[in-house]
Amino acid sequence: MILEVAILNIKDGISDDFETAFKQAAKIISSMPGYISHELQKCIEVPNRYILLVRWETLEAHTVGFRKSTEYQQWKQLLHHFYEPFPEVEHYYSVF
């Protein structure tokens, strides 16, 4: 299993709109081959910050299967305009 981690900084004043759009986007990502689960958590200390954790069966399920799909274009349209700056995405695997 691979854990995708993204810190999402949302432009001021549009967090509610982001959360609404993410509910739609969650349906897209959860339908992708290799998807296991995801969590979207809101930061307590920084009001417009979220962390997105997505579990994938393999790295390629995310980087190739999802990112090169037609569905990813829908994901981008729904979410990418909310971010400032654009998030850095990292991938992790369990060592124990």
Side-chain angles (χ1 to χ4, degrees), residues 26-87:
K27 294 173 188 172
I28 295 169
I29 200 168
S30 63
S31 72
M32 297 304 298
Y35 164 90
I36 298 172
S37 66
H38 74 274
E39 297 174 43
L40 180 67
Q41 304 285 331
K42 187 167 184 159
C43 184
I44 293 170
E45 293 81 9
V46 182
N48 294 330
R49 183 174 293 161
Y50 297 77
I51 188 168
L52 174 61
L53 306 171
V54 184
R55 288 166 188 82
W56 296 97
E57 290 176 5
T58 64
L59 178 63
E60 293 74 20
H62 176 232
T63 59
V64 178
F66 179 54
R67 286 245 178 112
K68 299 205 184 289
S69 70
T70 319
E71 291 86 350
Y72 182 69
Q73 298 309 311
Q74 296 170 333
W75 171 274
K76 279 175 54 172
Q77 235 177 351
L78 281 169
L79 299 177
H80 284 198
H81 63 280
F82 288 107
Y83 308 139
E84 192 170 291
F86 195 78

Side-chain angles (χ1 to χ4, degrees), residues 1-3 91-96:
M1 186 208 61
I2 299 298
L3 179 63
H91 299 91
Y92 295 82
Y93 63 92
S94 179
V95 294
F96 294 105

Side-chain angles (χ1 to χ4, degrees), residues 16-32:
D16 289 344
D17 294 337
F18 166 72
E19 290 179 20
T20 299
F22 191 87
K23 287 177 187 173
Q24 290 180 290
K27 294 173 188 172
I28 295 169
I29 200 168
S30 63
S31 72
M32 297 304 298

